[in-house]
Structure formats: structure tokens, C-alpha cells
Amino acid sequence: QVQLDEWGGGSVQAGDSLRLSCVASGRSFSGSSMAWFRRTPGKAREFVAAIGWDAAITNYADSVKGRFTISRDNAKNMLFLQMSTLKPEDTAVYYCATLGRWNPPSGNFWGQGTQVTVSS
């Protein structure tokens, strides 16, 4: 089992930036690929970004490529998502997850989520 806790969401204007953080406890974080997903009301949860255990590999959804950056600090058991040039369509609850599969991306363990709201 692994417990994931996210924070860093908030209400911002279009064009602003936010940094989401996630801390993991329980099983080995440093050996796990990790990811961010998001969900908007009425829609299925969608993949945002993933990162390999050593950060050598990353993958992004086309909708966020060039604007979002995923990173990790294995010494602190932490995962990050730097979001820049935010758009109203980025409004969602963002979830930190351990990555069970790369293609298509799917999560195993999930955090509770943090709300991001982007106003135009």
C-alpha cells in the first residue's frame, strides 16, 4: 500500500502558473513510476503526465505538452507538477498516482486530489 497526499491547487487567472506537490508514504517511492491525472465534472479521469522512477523518462498529454512539467525528488518522496500558461480548460481536480502502466497510462494508488480552477 502507498498513501499519496497532494496540495498546491487553487483559483488562478488564465496565463498564471501553479505548482502541485504530492508526498508519498508506505511502499518504495523511489522505485515507482508516478503520474498526474485530472478529472472534470461529468468526464472520465484523464492522464496528464508521467515520470519514470529515475526521472529519465517522462510523458505528457498533448493538451499540456510544453506548458506542464513533471518532476520528482526521490530523497523526499515527492512528486511535482509545474503548470504554466494555465487555461480555463485546465480546470479540474488533479490526482497524484502511482503508475501501473505506461501505455495507455493507468494508475494504481491515488491521492485525494487537489482542485485547480482557472478563470478567463
Side-chain angles (χ1 to χ4, degrees):
Q1 284 281 3
V2 60
Q3 182 174 346
L4 302 169
D5 294 296
E6 313 96 327
W7 69 91
S11 296
V12 298
Q13 297 292 314
D16 286 350
S17 298
L18 274 177
R19 188 193 197 205
L20 305 184
S21 300
C22 170
V23 64
S25 60
R27 75 176 200 186
S28 172
F29 171 83
S30 60
S32 300
S33 295
M34 300 293 297
W36 290 95
F37 292 78
R38 66 188 182 187
R39 175 178 279 166
T40 54
K43 294 186 179 181
R45 188 152 43 192
E46 66 170 345
F47 167 74
V48 175
I51 187 167
W53 68 273
D54 62 353
I57 299 174
T58 58
N59 186 32
Y60 296 91
D62 288 343
S63 59
V64 306
K65 204 169 291 185
R67 299 188 298 120
F68 290 11
T69 301
I70 189 171
S71 62
R72 65 191 297 162
D73 184 340
N74 286 345
K76 297 181 179 179
N77 283 4
M78 291 195 69
L79 178 73
F80 306 100
L81 185 68
Q82 178 67 47
M83 305 185 294
S84 302
T85 319
L86 282 160
K87 304 176 181 180
E89 50 264 43
D90 294 319
T91 295
V93 177
Y94 283 73
Y95 298 90
C96 169
T98 56
L99 192 67
R101 184 179 61 206
W102 278 88
N103 189 22
S106 67
N108 283 342
F109 297 99
W110 301 88
Q112 293 300 307
T114 184
Q115 176 71 49
V116 172
T117 302
V118 185
S119 302
S120 58

